[in-house]
Amino acid sequence: MKNLFLATCFAAGVTVAPVAVAGPGDGAYSHAMMARATTLTRALAQHVHFNEAQYLAVKQLHLNMLTERRDLEIILNGASAEERDTQLAQAQQRYETELAGILQPQQLIAYQNLRTNFTAHRLK
């Protein structure tokens, strides 16, 4: 009886797949969303130089922003253009506020200059 119990425990232990240790947020986002957040963060990091902690915080902020925008698009499907614009503007403002909390003053100035130049370029 003891041998049967040990054999069963051993078989159960062998057949259980090992669980990988996941970082915060791993698996909660699609591969495409992770790739987009990485691309956004790297592009921003080329102009606003981050330390490692800031890079990770900004990448998480981008993931949050992309998720929120996706959710708003789903929720506001069929809503008026004014309603969508208002909700998206509020989401953008939250992003800007959170980013300002992560960046140092010199980095924030570099970001604002980048944003101004990008917007001016897009309008031409």
Side-chain angles (χ1 to χ4, degrees):
M1 186 63 135
K2 190 191 287 185
N3 289 338
L4 178 62
F5 178 72
L6 289 175
T8 304
C9 289
F10 178 73
V14 171
T15 59
V16 173
V19 176
V21 176
D26 289 352
Y29 304 104
S30 70
H31 178 71
M33 192 175 290
M34 291 290 291
R36 180 71 176 138
T38 299
T39 301
L40 287 169
T41 306
R42 285 181 182 163
L44 188 57
Q46 289 177 350
H47 301 283
V48 180
H49 304 288
F50 303 133
N51 63 35
E52 189 173 343
Q54 287 174 316
Y55 181 90
L56 294 173
V58 170
K59 184 176 178 183
Q60 185 61 50
L61 179 60
H62 284 144
L63 284 168
N64 294 344
M65 177 195 63
L66 292 170
T67 301
E68 182 177 12
R69 288 183 61 92
R70 182 201 60 207
D71 293 346
L72 283 173
E73 288 174 9
I74 293 168
I75 292 169
L76 297 173
N77 188 18
S80 69
E82 182 180 335
E83 173 73 17
R84 280 195 322 254
D85 288 348
T86 301
Q87 293 292 329
L88 291 172
Q90 289 173 352
Q92 181 66 28
Q93 185 59 44
R94 282 190 295 275
Y95 167 80
E96 299 280 337
T97 301
E98 289 180 37
L99 184 62
I102 295 169
L103 300 180
Q104 296 174 356
Q106 306 89 345
Q107 293 170 316
L108 186 57
I109 290 169
Y111 170 74
Q112 289 169 342
N113 289 336
L114 175 67
R115 187 168 182 251
T116 301
N117 291 337
F118 178 74
T119 303
H121 177 268
R122 298 283 288 186
L123 291 175
K124 290 182 181 179

